Amino acid sequence: MTSTIPAAPISRPSAHTAFLQHTDGLRLGLLREAALRKELASAGREIEALAKCSLHDRQTGDAAGALSNLRAALSALSEQLTRPGAPLDADQRGQLARAAEAVATAQVFENFLSTGTLGARPSVSPAWEPAAPPRPAPTPVSAGPPPGPLYAAPPADAVPTSYDSYYAHRESSLFFDNTTNTGYAGVTKYFVGYPDEDHPFQAARALCSPPGGSEGLGWFSTATEAARAYAAHVREHPPPREEDDDERAAAAAAAAAAAAAAAASDAAAATPSVLQYEDTEWLLALIGAAHEIGRYALGRATEADVVSLRLARDAADALLGELLGFDLRNGPLRRSYDSLKYIVRRLEGTLYEMSLHAPEPAAAASPAAEPAAASPAAEPAAASPAASPRLLLDAAALAAARARYAEVTVDL
């Protein structure tokens, strides 16, 4: 009978226990990270497929199916970006970059077909709705210098635009006042009571206390000399200045802005923040949507829909003009931008060919009977962006993205 000798237990030296525990922790962390990256890549492919199905359905005229797929893609992308636990780092977020770009492309294309524009910058929200670009805020008009005595008129190229510049300009000017008998502020000509008949002009400055009092600055032979002495004294001893209307309005606006920011912060703490696309994802989506718009426009050209074709050309041309201001580095965005000019050229050529073979009036009017969802030309709001190219894009969001790109370029 053969006896089995039990194997000796493996004992780890106590001196290396901490190191082995650390390596085990690193191994488990790498395994978890690899599993997460694999899961994100799989989810990204599913989201990208939903977005592409939405684009295909919209191109074929199935608006309801396209919107359903787009909502599903937005919901899935939002869930992946707000996974419980630690937020996604840059590498993990990169696993969803293609999916985010595809979903944003579908949103921009939906914006074009709904509003006739590339729309406002979209967000990653299942409740997203197509929206036209926001109109820029009107430029505030300065109220000008505060009221006061009449001063010497400045040159036309040196008109003061604020209280401080107005006050500084006074220092190099004589002060005028049409209530005195000389026309100069603080200067009076006396016909009796002067100490010397060769010096009848007195410069004096009114005092606030006692009321009605004045401080004599001397007697002078001419009104101009007295005015210069008065101006020099005022410059050396300026009166206390209070905030003018513009400054008070600015302070009130700042207080209101602070209150609004505090209210927004409280609201943000109570409700989850809206997820936003990265700048590169949004810009790539705009270019991708331009390709989809070009494809859509060629289909509309077969129906002699010149209005939709012009809207598509205007949108692509406006996007090309905005992206010219970006300092793009070599990469996917640069290569995609280079393809944009060919879309504009193709749409321009199609418009030219259609102008050579203009359809009959009856045929040209036929697309107007199509449903509004089939063509942006049927939307009443589409005429306004065509008349105002700046409204074809979210100019404010593009300007902010351009500034961030410039900062990154300077840092590099």
Side-chain angles (χ1 to χ4, degrees):
M1 183 175 180
T2 304
S3 61
T4 303
I5 301 175
I10 300 175
S11 59
R12 297 176 177 175
S14 59
H16 301 291
T17 300
F19 171 75
L20 293 175
Q21 291 177 348
H22 178 66
T23 57
D24 287 342
L26 289 177
R27 182 176 61 85
L28 293 176
L30 291 175
L31 290 175
R32 284 194 298 266
E33 183 178 353
L36 176 58
R37 291 172 66 90
K38 184 177 180 181
E39 183 181 353
L40 289 174
S42 176
R45 287 191 294 269
E46 295 178 1
I47 295 170
E48 187 177 359
L50 285 172
K52 290 183 177 180
C53 287
S54 174
L55 288 170
H56 176 75
D57 291 342
R58 208 60 170 93
Q59 290 282 8
T60 57
D62 184 7
L67 190 59
S68 175
N69 285 325
L70 179 57
R71 299 278 185 218
L74 282 170
S75 178
L77 181 59
S78 177
E79 290 177 2
Q80 293 299 324
L81 293 178
T82 57
R83 298 172 64 92
L88 301 180
D89 57 26
D91 292 336
Q92 295 167 350
R93 180 70 169 79
Q95 296 292 318
L96 299 172
R98 287 178 58 88
E101 176 192 342
V103 176
T105 299
Q107 288 176 280
V108 176
F109 187 54
E110 184 68 30
N111 258 329
F112 175 76
L113 294 181
S114 300
T115 67
T117 70
L118 296 181
R121 179 167 182 166
S123 59
V124 186
S125 171
W128 172 85
E129 294 291 341
R135 293 182 177 273
T139 304
V141 180
S142 176
L150 299 177
Y151 302 108
D157 58 348
V159 177
T161 56
S162 64
Y163 188 92
D164 290 335
S165 61
Y166 187 73
Y167 192 84
H169 178 77
R170 294 195 314 176
E171 299 184 0
S172 61
S173 306
L174 299 180
F175 301 161
F176 289 80
D177 187 354
N178 57 8
T179 62
T180 65
N181 61 358
T182 60
Y184 292 103
V187 178
T188 305
K189 180 179 181 180
Y190 287 86
F191 297 94
V192 292
Y194 45 79
D196 182 1
E197 62 180 5
D198 294 331
H199 299 82
F201 297 94
Q202 184 189 31
R205 183 176 182 182
L207 299 177
C208 298
S209 178
S214 62
E215 177 184 2
L217 304 177
W219 295 85
F220 303 88
S221 59
T222 63
T224 303
E225 293 177 356
R228 289 172 180 166
Y230 176 83
H233 181 80
V234 170
R235 288 195 296 270
E236 294 176 0
H237 307 282
R241 290 182 293 169
E242 298 180 357
E243 292 182 341
D244 62 351
D245 293 339
D246 289 343
E247 292 173 340
R248 284 193 294 270
S265 177
D266 296 340
T271 59
S273 58
V274 177
L275 296 173
Q276 300 292 339
Y277 293 102
E278 300 288 339
D279 287 338
T280 302
E281 294 169 351
W282 178 48
L283 294 174
L284 285 171
L286 286 172
I287 299 175
H291 283 271
E292 294 293 332
I293 291 171
R295 176 186 169 196
Y296 166 82
L298 293 180
R300 296 305 303 168
T302 62
E303 303 292 335
D305 188 354
V306 180
V307 176
S308 294
L309 190 58
R310 285 175 179 166
L311 278 176
R313 186 274 315 272
D314 292 343
D317 188 53
L319 178 59
L320 179 63
E322 286 289 342
L323 293 182
L324 281 174
F326 279 77
D327 185 9
L328 301 177
R329 297 165 296 280
N330 291 331
L333 185 55
R334 177 70 189 189
R335 291 190 293 270
S336 297
Y337 164 76
D338 291 337
S339 69
L340 187 58
K341 58 186 175 184
Y342 298 107
I343 301 175
V344 177
R345 186 181 303 173
R346 183 167 64 248
L347 293 175
E348 290 281 3
T350 305
L351 277 172
Y352 174 72
E353 292 174 0
M354 292 184 67
S355 68
L356 296 179
H357 306 283
E360 298 296 331
S366 59
E370 297 181 3
S375 170
E379 294 286 343
S384 177
S388 179
R390 292 296 297 175
L391 293 180
L392 289 171
L393 296 161
D394 193 340
L398 282 169
R402 182 167 56 248
R404 288 188 288 270
Y405 261 78
E407 292 176 359
V408 172
T409 303
V410 171
D411 293 340
L412 293 178

